[in-house]
Amino acid sequence: MAAPALQQPSYLLANLKADWTIKPLHQRCNELSKIIDDFPAKELHAIFPWLVESVFGSLDGILSGWNLRYLQARMAEYNIAVDFLGPSGPMMKLVYKLQAEEYKYEFPVSYLPGPIKSSIQAGVLPDCPLFHNKIQFPMSGLLLLNPFEYYMFNFASSLIAPKPFQNYPPGQHGSCSDSAYFVLVDTYLKYFLPTEGNVPPSPFSDTMGTVASPAPRSPSVPYVGYGGHSTSLLKRHITHQPSVNADPAAQEIWRSETLLQVFVEMWLHHYSLEMYQKLQSPQVKLALLQYRLSMSSMLCQPPAPPGSGTLHTYQEPFTPSEEHVLVVRLLVKHLHAFSSSLKQESIFSSPSAHSHSSPLEELKRVVVQRFVQQKLYVFLQHCFGHWPLDASFRAVLETWLSYIQPWRYTGEKNNTQADGQNRTVPDKWASFVQENLLVYTKLFQGFLNRAMRTDLVNAKNALMVFRVAKVFVQPNLSEMIQKAEQLFLEPEHAILQRQNRVFLTPSHGGSFLSSRQPMGTDSVFKVKSHVYSLEGQDCQYNLMFGPDLRKNVLKLIQIIAQARQTAKRISDHSTEMAANNSFLSWFSVGSSDHNNTFNGGEMDDMGEGVKKTHEFLDKALDYLCQIFRLNAGQLSQLIINVASVDDEGASKQLPDCIPSENGLLLTDLGRLQIINGLRRFEIEYQGDPELQPIRSYENAFLVRLMFQISSFINARFGDHMEALCSRQDLLGSIGRHYLRSSLKVAEQWRKSPVTRQMRERPQRARLSLRVLASYRTLLILLLLYMLFALLSFSVLSSTGLILIVSFLYELLLNFLHGKTKDSVNKDS
């Protein structure tokens, strides 16, 4: 669309708004590309905020924009949107064009994550340098951002913005990794945080000069880091005094820093470290538990206003979605690859040489520890404690496992050995384990607590246990964790004594004027500062390989063994049911199971899941024994104990219950037994057998007809049938066999917990003709009539013969059953 040269910005914006809802996406993008190329920055400045909101949606979620999170690769608009918003696309050209003119845009503080918003509203400057020159004092509730920052803030916010259900495109849900948003995040990370080479210069550097950066860094100023309480860092970000001799690469690195800080703050900083440390206090944990119990018991009462005693200050209501966690995992994986691409000479260079390395190399050196570690740890801790106990936790789990395995993203090909086993973790990663000790140990304990409350018979849950065990069983990893724990437990006076001893030893070149500390002392302080900075100075560290955690591991192994036994029972039952549901079972004369609710296909799927469960749990058991050095005798004893309990009939016992007036009440132990599949109630129909739901193998019309006939007979001859069943001779035995007496029904009801009213309900002998409505019975009768017809019997004669044969067959079964029962009574 060729734009008139004298058209005012207001008309341009009005025309774009009018065409936005009419024209298709590809036409709109083509016209916007021409407008961005033809119009000057002064006129584009007016449409930029509207265009960003139209693409990413409003911050409150009312406007959905282009629905990038639900735009899948199979859709026609996918490539159009990705090309338009890519790092070299028209939208980014607009950003750079406006950046060169140093325009500012307003972003509401109310849409920032909770801890940042609370800090700004309280008049406290956040630790993140990103906000240090954006806040207006006195507070106006707005941040002043340059075009690049404004674009990235809106892009990152669209992932966590609330999305009304009506804005979801119907039938367009797919894999998160295939969405346009996920692909754009990956593209931005690879472009602005490259693993090879430098950040590409802006496209306007040739024609319009270098795009102005907010804070060009002089090579003489070292990269201090992120989130640190350094006055030089604050001064550098607040004063913004550009250096005349600034390196051009340093002018370009600000985009990488900005993108990284925006992503980390908007996606991870939803839970403050101070709040997390407060929640570790036993007094606060007890008070919070009492508060939640009181709230759950007062659901029907009007809510009390927040104040003292409600612990409202400890509630951080943000709950990440599964898609949010997967994007965080993508960020973690790329940052590991970005950090691992640091040149080897830069890794082993002295601190004094760091000032001579490029700004991008400095960023690679500190990106994980100073940008991500603290906020990701608190983020994962919250997810471990609040995520539902279902298979969707896999997203959180894989994010955690990706972070604690940086060696997977080094680009090396030998990830596994020739025999298929995990390779040994290189010793060079020992410092990473030490600087992230809590991410390994504390989160492992959190996962252990979740696993013991999860249904491990489910193949997806068993897979998660297997994944964690497989990661921690990697050779040399457990030794690194133990070494880091030993460094943390080392007393401070011993550190000082060793430090003085090393400094004074001539063989080490010790000198009072030397600024270099011994490597062991550095490691000790590194581990201690990591633990105390995250958990607080008064934390009580629980050793991963200590006796307390070892007991929990043994409990988990026992639960895994029990889950294996349960899976075996389910597998045997599914095999049996699959055989019973075969075509030949139609010709059996046994009684049908009215309580079977699974068809053949469902049992096959269950059987496949159980096979996977067996495989995952077997390997998990082996890995856990290797990690915690459990000998074969301990493991065998645990499995034997579980097997013996199962052989004694534990699988047929009811869950742990307490009898009451209204039946049985589950205890906490009983709930745990049901969750883990150790015991279960036999779910059977306990009402009137004649009023059971019509089954798929029954004819609905015949069921209703037979019920009417049997009801008429029972009402007319009920007293006579009851008198017949009460006789102790042969006729009484035959009557009790054919007529459903109260004794048989009462015996059936004793198999499951029932209420007193059901036990005391009177039962009368009655006739049931429902078996004649079964398709199997009808087929058998049809085959018998055809057989007798071939033998030249009439219909009446065939009916009489069928009745006589059936009567004699049932009489013989009843006689044999009585003989067996009498012999058992004599033996007892």
Side-chain angles (χ1 to χ4, degrees), residues 109-110 112-124 126 272 275 316:
V109 174
S110 57
L112 295 175
I116 307 174
K117 178 175 62 177
S118 301
S119 177
I120 295 176
Q121 290 176 347
V124 180
S272 63
M275 187 66 64
E316 290 179 322

Side-chain angles (χ1 to χ4, degrees), residues 59-190:
L59 296 173
D60 55 10
I62 297 178
L63 300 179
S64 58
W66 286 1
N67 276 319
L68 296 175
R69 292 162 56 184
Y70 310 104
L71 201 59
Q72 299 294 318
R74 63 179 180 272
M75 303 177 188
E77 298 86 356
Y78 174 85
N79 290 328
I80 300 172
V82 172
D83 292 339
F84 185 81
L85 301 174
S88 302
M91 191 68 175
M92 198 58 67
K93 289 182 181 180
L94 172 60
V95 171
Y96 293 143
K97 203 170 184 178
L98 297 173
Q99 186 77 32
E101 301 296 332
E102 299 186 0
Y103 286 111
K104 297 294 182 181
Y105 299 91
E106 296 177 345
F107 188 90
V109 174
S110 57
Y111 291 106
L112 295 175
I116 307 174
K117 178 175 62 177
S118 301
S119 177
I120 295 176
Q121 290 176 347
V124 180
L125 198 65
D127 291 338
C128 178
L130 182 66
F131 301 98
H132 288 173
N133 63 325
K134 313 296 188 305
I135 304 171
Q136 300 270 324
F137 291 101
M139 278 297 302
S140 61
L142 298 171
L143 298 178
L144 289 182
L145 308 175
N146 64 45
F148 186 82
E149 293 167 342
Y150 183 79
Y151 176 83
M152 286 302 169
F153 264 102
N154 280 273
F155 176 76
S157 298
S158 63
L159 176 64
I160 59 177
K163 297 292 182 183
F165 181 77
Q166 60 267 23
N167 286 339
Y168 293 168
Q172 295 184 0
H173 297 279
S175 173
C176 168
S177 59
D178 293 334
S179 69
Y181 189 89
F182 193 89
V183 171
L184 283 172
V185 172
D186 187 40
T187 305
Y188 288 155
L189 290 173
K190 291 178 179 177

Side-chain angles (χ1 to χ4, degrees), residues 105 144 167 208 243 247 260 378 407 424 466 487-488 510 517 551 556 608 688 806:
Y105 299 91
L144 289 182
N167 286 339
M208 302 182 60
S243 173
D247 186 359
L260 180 57
V378 179
W407 47 85
T424 302
F466 161 73
L487 293 174
F488 173 74
Q517 294 181 352
K551 292 179 182 178
L556 177 62
E608 290 297 324
D688 189 345
S806 301

Side-chain angles (χ1 to χ4, degrees), residues 199-210:
V199 181
S202 64
F204 290 91
S205 58
D206 296 332
T207 59
M208 302 182 60
T210 303

